[in-house]
Amino acid sequence: MIEFIFNNIPLVIIIIGGILSLLGRKENNKDTSTKPINPLPPVKKDIRQAEKTTEKKEKPFDVLKREMEEKLRQEVQKHLPTVTQQAKKIRPVIEEKKTEVAQTAQTTKQLQQEYTKLNTELSRKQAMASQLLPNRSAHKVVEGIIWSEILGPPRAKKPFRPNNKI
């Protein structure tokens, strides 16, 4: 309920102002019926009295605003010691986490630098390997075997000898 009131302060102020204005009207109606009618004072005095009455009367919204501000200040003052105690407890943990984050960021930066170095070295080695070795495909391998048979020594120079001699 209190949260609703604090979250909807303008609505509460309007409702309370409406109630106060209705109560003010009822009291004014009762006062006029019981009092006898007085003759009007001179114009100059009337203006001064009207100014004094407007100065003395405060708007209900201003009064309500001051009351709500005072209640809010009291609530803040009531909870302020616990908040400061919790802040004192949490502050070292926050500092520790900040140092951990800074260390993690530093190690991440170092690992990223190592990664870029290794990546460039890998790409350089791959480029060298692709230059040294010819492009191999299955068809070229078959052709290579055929040419080795053609150009190699004759079969008579390498007779077939089975391992099993009886």
Side-chain angles (χ1 to χ4, degrees), residues 29-48:
N29 291 339
K30 289 179 183 177
D31 292 341
T32 56
S33 62
T34 57
K35 292 184 179 180
I37 300 174
N38 293 332
L40 294 173
V43 177
K44 292 180 182 178
K45 288 184 180 179
D46 189 27
I47 294 173
R48 289 181 190 157

Side-chain angles (χ1 to χ4, degrees), residues 28 53 147 150:
N28 287 341
T53 56
W147 280 106
I150 293 172

Side-chain angles (χ1 to χ4, degrees), residues 103-114:
Q103 290 174 350
T104 305
Q106 186 178 8
T107 55
T108 304
K109 191 174 183 178
Q110 290 173 350
L111 289 174
Q112 193 173 21
Q113 289 173 351
E114 288 180 33

Side-chain angles (χ1 to χ4, degrees), residues 133-146:
L133 298 175
N135 192 6
R136 296 181 188 161
S137 65
H139 181 68
K140 289 196 177 202
V141 171
V142 171
E143 282 183 5
I145 293 173
I146 293 173

Side-chain angles (χ1 to χ4, degrees), residues 94-108:
I94 291 172
E95 293 298 325
E96 182 180 322
K97 294 294 180 184
K98 282 182 181 179
T99 56
E100 286 179 15
V101 167
Q103 290 174 350
T104 305
Q106 186 178 8
T107 55
T108 304

Side-chain angles (χ1 to χ4, degrees), residues 51-127:
E51 289 175 0
K52 289 180 183 178
T53 56
T54 56
E55 289 175 3
K56 290 180 182 177
K57 288 186 180 180
E58 292 185 38
K59 295 180 181 178
F61 292 115
D62 293 336
V63 173
L64 185 61
K65 179 182 174 185
R66 260 191 277 115
E67 289 175 2
M68 295 298 282
E69 287 175 349
E70 185 61 34
K71 287 180 184 179
L72 185 61
R73 274 192 217 105
Q74 290 173 356
E75 286 291 321
V76 168
Q77 292 298 327
K78 186 178 7 174
H79 295 290
L80 189 62
T82 57
V83 171
T84 55
Q85 289 174 354
Q86 290 175 352
K88 287 178 183 176
K89 290 178 184 177
I90 293 174
R91 190 166 285 131
V93 175
I94 291 172
E95 293 298 325
E96 182 180 322
K97 294 294 180 184
K98 282 182 181 179
T99 56
E100 286 179 15
V101 167
Q103 290 174 350
T104 305
Q106 186 178 8
T107 55
T108 304
K109 191 174 183 178
Q110 290 173 350
L111 289 174
Q112 193 173 21
Q113 289 173 351
E114 288 180 33
Y115 173 76
T116 55
K117 287 178 185 177
L118 291 174
N119 200 14
T120 54
E121 187 177 332
L122 177 66
S123 62
R124 185 175 45 87
K125 286 185 178 181
Q126 285 177 344

